[in-house]
Amino acid sequence: MRHNKAINHLGRKSSHRKALLANMACSLILHKRINTTVAKAKALKTYVEPLITKSKDDSTHSRRVVFSYLKNKYVVAELFRTVAPKIADRPGGYLRVLHTGFRQGDGAEMALIEFVDFNEAALASAPQKKEAKKGTRRSRAKKAEAPVEAAPAAEAPAAE
């Protein structure tokens, strides 16, 4: 049973797990989406989302905190320059995990993890909100026109 087991250890020692998650986070930030196993994707989501929240506040302290996790100054610059402005108004849920099937060799369940705001295909196919016309729920003019037009048509065949 998994009583009080907060994180998935991914079958690794803590130093190996930290290095794995830091490298995967760097790849995710640089490429905006990566393909990995479902277990690693879920662990990565809990690892990266607090860092993205920290990147909303562009201060020296928050940069240093994020750098202590990622250990790559180019990735930190990318996170603060391009990712943070795009997700500034989002209150959370920055990443999406999509299940893609099973790996050929060992049957591991695979997933695609990506940023929600950087998927151009999904943003383009999403329905744009159309501005609704201001009007009443019932229109009396249309009801008045419909019976008037229908009445002469009904009388014409009856007259013949």
Side-chain angles (χ1 to χ4, degrees):
M1 289 189 201
R2 296 191 67 248
H3 294 302
N4 287 334
K5 303 290 189 267
I7 63 169
N8 188 349
H9 297 287
L10 299 174
R12 292 160 171 82
K13 301 288 183 186
S14 64
S15 60
H16 188 187
R17 187 172 54 252
K18 287 177 188 174
L20 171 84
L21 291 173
N23 286 328
M24 288 178 67
C26 291
S27 296
L28 178 65
I29 292 168
L30 286 178
H31 301 294
K32 309 300 184 267
R33 71 175 66 176
I34 57 173
N35 195 16
T36 184
T37 62
V38 171
K40 288 179 188 173
K42 288 179 180 180
L44 183 62
K45 189 173 182 179
T46 61
Y47 184 84
V48 173
E49 287 202 346
L51 300 179
I52 298 170
T53 303
K54 284 227 185 301
S55 73
K56 289 181 176 183
D57 174 33
D58 192 3
S59 65
T60 305
H61 176 67
S62 61
R63 280 181 180 261
R64 286 179 177 166
V65 169
V66 170
F67 181 78
S68 72
Y69 284 91
L70 299 179
K71 302 189 177 41
N72 187 334
K73 66 181 181 180
Y74 302 109
V75 173
V76 173
E78 174 81 10
L79 177 64
F80 278 85
R81 286 188 190 142
T82 62
V83 176
K86 206 158 188 184
I87 53 97
D89 57 341
R90 184 175 286 276
Y94 312 111
L95 299 175
R96 174 187 299 134
V97 177
L98 300 170
H99 297 253
T100 57
F102 298 94
R103 189 160 51 197
Q104 185 69 33
D106 59 356
E109 193 172 359
M110 300 299 287
L112 180 76
I113 183 168
E114 65 182 2
F115 282 99
V116 173
D117 292 326
F118 282 89
N119 188 352
E120 288 82 15
L123 293 175
S125 67
Q128 300 294 329
K129 291 185 178 179
K130 296 180 182 178
E131 297 200 16
K133 296 179 187 178
K134 291 286 183 180
T136 61
R137 294 178 123 201
R138 290 184 235 156
S139 178
R140 294 181 188 177
K142 288 183 182 176
K143 282 187 176 177
E145 291 174 1
V148 172
E149 292 177 16
E155 291 175 11
E160 290 180 28

